[in-house]
Amino acid sequence: MGTSPTEPAAVTETPDFYGAYPRLTEDQVEELARHGERRRTRAGEVLFREGDSSYDFFVVLEGLVAIVQGEGGDEKLIAVHGPGRFLGELGLLSGQAALFTAVVREPGEVLAVPVERLRDLVQQDPTLADLILRAYLLRREYLIGLGAGFKIVGSRFSPDTRRLREFAARNRLPHTFVDLEDDSAAEALLRQLDVSPADTPVVIWRGTQVLRNPSTSELASLLGLRRAAPESTLCDLLVVGAGPAGLAAAVYGASEGLVTVAVDAIATGGQAGTSSRIENYLGFPAGISGAELAERAAIQARKFGAQISVPAEAVALEERDGHHAVRLGEGEAVAGRTVLIATGVHYRRLPVPRLEEFEGISVYYAATWMEVQLCRGDPVAVVGGGNSAGQATLFLAQHTPLTRLIVREADLAEHMSRYLVDRIERTENVEVLLHTEVRELVGERTLEALVVEDVLDGERRQVEARAMFVFIGAEPHTAWLGGQVALDERGYVLTGPEAARAAAGDGRATGHDPVLLETSHPGILAAGDVRCGSTKRVASAVGEGSVAILQVHRQLELLGRGGVHEFAERPIPTAAT
């Protein structure tokens, strides 16, 4: 603990309007006290500081503790907590660096519980676990809206700026974007930090630490997000892709004692993580955002001991000395006795001229809060006729004066769920253009309008749109597999009897019949949207991810190597050995 450099004026406790700052019961405090240590505090004392890679779970017993960002004259007050409240936010559970500083304002007493003991306790007390998780999710949402965390300074027209912003948004990392194009204070900030505009984009962390055009891996490491699996460890289950299928497999695999590692190129949640609201997922009658569902699943998987590493892009699948190895983009390799391919799909690009000029600037493939901030108050267009397009339309309509939904089909219900169709038809500021396709993009540096064509009569017209959101189908992420498993003509992974037939046709028959989710290569399975024949729904992907674990156990038994963990610490065979 240290001492704050300033002594601010007296403060009062922040009211709890939405459940982000609940007060623990006496029984809950007593239970936590059995796992922690009571400490007296003094005014100005720092309990943990912004950027700390690890810190305790603190409960305020007496006095007041302020949550602030920055120091001295730049200090920004976020919240003040009194007796019975606990500190921290979502990053405490996921191992991320602290996004703010906790400073004692009024002396008193706190209870410090090590995070490892907290994790053990919440497994035994679901009521306490739900209370903490809900508060932490709300606090993360608040921090994102507040613009707390780090700063990204750069031009909105820069591809690297867009890359960093997308990574931050997909991983729900609180941050502020300072646009060199229209923020008059941006250049002054760069001069103050001795940074040239040519060095941008830059990430500013803790006010003074500057990363010049960092890779996403460097940014993730700075924030404690990326923790690569040790290359000396052979895991029981290696999950490639952390969307709904991959996260479900990680939860069930780890909970059943398998040494489980999951990797993903961008963020947990996959395409589902970009959905503003999923309203037909079992157990969430009010709906849930894809990002929150992913956060909850990732925390659940880590609770059972799964290791999740992001960003970690799979670039090759290999076989090394009888085991499966996945090479990652950073040059690392992770090996597993079994592998689950859950890399999902990516959205198709619209075949229109000048598309690349506008991608990331005013043409997007996801509708999240990041994109809304760029087009709030402007007319926008959504292209697509499936559920993703419908969900995006309803989300955008809450923040734009007019949202046009451009659909190639003659009937909106042809590929879209009825509940979405009904809501779209009842939304006054949504205009649906049926049997219509986009032919041209109009604008200089940013999109201004679209030229659309009615495919029935060939009539073309120009409609105003300052942003376009494209959801026109998807293609599987399978290029990295390099022919190691059989694919169908569209690139989706074949499993079960179809995989066996394909392997026999290619002369690669193994003499073994793949089970339902197993590929043509024994010990390698596939689940979720990447699998041929899968139902493209979140619930289906979750179901396949959980079912895959039964087949992983079967494969481990076929290996005939005794217990699941017997070889968990064996070194990974390398090409040299």
Side-chain angles (χ1 to χ4, degrees):
M1 297 185 187
T3 302
S4 174
T6 59
E7 292 297 334
V11 292
T12 57
E13 187 177 60
T14 304
D16 181 25
F17 293 118
Y18 305 108
Y21 307 131
R23 213 176 298 277
L24 299 170
T25 66
E26 291 184 8
D27 289 343
Q28 288 170 332
V29 173
E30 275 186 33
E31 182 61 32
L32 285 163
R34 284 196 278 271
H35 298 264
E37 173 189 1
R38 293 176 182 265
R39 302 179 190 171
R40 297 300 301 178
T41 60
R42 61 185 184 280
E45 188 175 7
V46 176
L47 301 179
F48 57 85
R49 193 177 297 275
E50 182 181 347
D52 284 353
S53 58
S54 62
Y55 56 101
D56 290 337
F57 175 82
F58 286 96
V59 179
V60 181
L61 301 178
E62 181 186 339
L64 291 175
V65 176
I67 301 301
V68 301
Q69 185 172 36
E71 292 184 349
D74 294 330
E75 184 177 281
K76 179 193 296 184
L77 181 65
I78 296 174
V80 178
H81 297 293
R85 289 190 180 178
F86 53 88
L87 312 183
E89 62 94 45
L90 198 61
L92 180 66
L93 299 179
S94 59
Q96 295 175 27
L99 297 170
F100 43 66
T101 299
V103 186
V104 177
R105 290 294 188 237
E106 289 185 6
E109 187 178 28
V110 296
L111 172 65
V113 181
V115 177
E116 296 75 17
R117 295 185 186 177
L118 175 68
R119 291 194 181 106
D120 292 339
L121 176 60
V122 295
Q123 288 191 48
Q124 305 164 23
D125 189 340
T127 301
L128 179 62
D130 288 346
L131 180 74
I132 293 172
L133 179 57
R134 181 172 184 273
Y136 279 0
L137 287 167
L138 289 169
R139 292 180 192 183
R140 174 58 65 97
E141 197 73 47
Y142 176 64
L143 289 173
I144 291 173
L146 189 67
F150 56 95
K151 286 185 174 70
I152 299 175
V153 184
S155 167
R156 65 178 178 272
F157 301 115
S158 161
D160 282 318
T161 299
R162 297 198 301 268
R163 170 180 55 81
L164 292 172
R165 294 190 67 204
E166 180 185 7
F167 178 76
R170 289 286 303 274
N171 286 280
R172 290 176 57 79
L173 300 173
H175 67 285
T176 301
F177 172 52
V178 182
D179 192 350
L180 284 172
E181 301 297 330
D182 56 17
D183 193 322
S184 58
E187 288 196 28
L189 175 62
L190 292 179
R191 283 195 300 271
Q192 179 184 341
L193 296 168
D194 194 26
V195 174
S196 164
D199 293 330
T200 60
V202 297
V203 170
I204 303 172
W205 175 234
R206 301 179 66 180
T208 57
Q209 187 174 350
V210 179
L211 278 70
R212 289 168 168 79
N213 195 12
S215 67
T216 49
S217 291
E218 289 171 331
L219 178 57
S221 297
L222 176 75
L223 301 173
L225 187 66
R226 189 177 194 274
R227 290 175 296 280
E231 291 202 42
S232 61
T233 300
L234 174 64
C235 60
D236 297 316
L237 171 63
L238 173 55
V239 181
V240 185
L247 287 172
V251 168
Y252 283 94
S255 68
E256 294 181 16
L258 300 179
V259 178
T260 303
V261 173
V263 298
D264 195 281
I266 301 176
T268 58
Q271 293 293 351
T274 67
S275 177
S276 57
R277 185 146 299 269
I278 302 169
E279 296 192 67
N280 59 351
Y281 188 66
L282 184 67
F284 292 90
I288 185 172
S289 74
E292 182 178 341
L293 186 64
E295 282 179 337
R296 287 174 174 269
I299 290 171
Q300 191 175 16
R302 289 188 175 105
K303 179 184 77 171
F304 290 121
Q307 182 171 328
I308 301 175
S309 187
V310 175
E313 182 182 9
V315 297
L317 176 63
E318 304 168 347
E319 187 159 354
R320 296 185 181 178
D321 198 22
H323 298 297
H324 311 292
V326 171
R327 276 197 290 116
L328 305 177
E330 297 294 314
E332 306 157 295
V334 187
R337 297 167 65 188
T338 60
V339 172
L340 177 68
I341 301 167
T343 42
V345 297
H346 58 273
Y347 288 115
R348 291 197 186 105
R349 302 170 73 238
L350 199 64
V352 295
R354 303 183 64 200
L355 182 72
E356 290 185 2
E357 294 180 36
F358 298 105
E359 284 181 317
I361 300 170
S362 45
V363 171
Y364 309 104
Y365 298 91
T368 69
W369 280 108
M370 185 188 85
E371 289 81 20
V372 162
Q373 291 168 9
L374 298 175
C375 64
R376 186 191 298 270
D378 294 327
V380 302
V382 177
V383 182
N387 280 3
S388 295
Q391 290 162 350
T393 298
L394 292 170
F395 175 61
L396 292 165
Q398 299 174 43
H399 309 283
T400 61
L402 175 62
T403 299
R404 288 187 173 91
L405 176 58
I406 300 172
V407 183
R408 182 174 56 184
E409 291 77 20
D411 184 355
L412 191 57
E414 185 169 335
H415 299 298
M416 190 180 295
S417 296
R418 188 72 241 177
Y419 79 94
L420 287 171
V421 174
D422 291 342
R423 288 189 58 193
I424 287 171
E425 291 175 344
R426 292 197 303 266
T427 304
E428 293 183 358
N429 63 327
V430 171
E431 179 184 350
V432 180
L433 306 181
L434 295 174
H435 41 78
T436 300
E437 294 185 359
V438 177
R439 297 302 184 213
E440 297 177 27
L441 307 181
V442 181
E444 293 301 324
R445 299 188 74 184
T446 61
L447 189 67
E448 297 173 9
L450 307 175
V451 174
V452 298
E453 178 182 325
D454 187 315
V455 297
L456 297 184
D457 58 21
E459 180 184 353
R460 291 194 178 193
R461 64 185 176 110
Q462 185 169 297
V463 296
E464 188 180 9
R466 300 307 171 100
M468 180 174 71
F469 297 81
V470 181
F471 303 92
I472 57 168
E475 297 172 346
H477 278 293
T478 52
W480 66 279
L481 292 170
Q484 292 294 309
V485 300
L487 309 177
D488 73 0
E489 66 279 1
R490 297 177 300 161
Y492 289 88
V493 179
L494 293 170
T495 56
E498 290 184 340
R501 285 193 291 271
D506 293 342
R508 297 186 298 178
T510 61
H512 127 110
D513 293 327
V515 291
L516 177 64
L517 300 178
E518 195 171 13
T519 70
S520 58
H521 197 304
I524 300 178
L525 299 93
D529 289 359
V530 75
R531 190 179 70 82
C532 175
S534 66
T535 302
K536 305 300 187 279
R537 291 288 186 270
V538 173
S540 175
V542 169
E544 289 190 9
S546 60
V547 169
I549 301 307
L550 299 176
Q551 298 175 13
V552 167
H553 282 301
R554 174 182 179 272
Q555 180 62 29
L556 292 172
E557 290 172 3
L558 290 174
L559 289 174
R561 295 183 175 176
V564 166
H565 295 285
E566 182 178 342
F567 291 91
E569 298 304 321
R570 283 197 173 186
I572 291 177
T574 64
T577 57

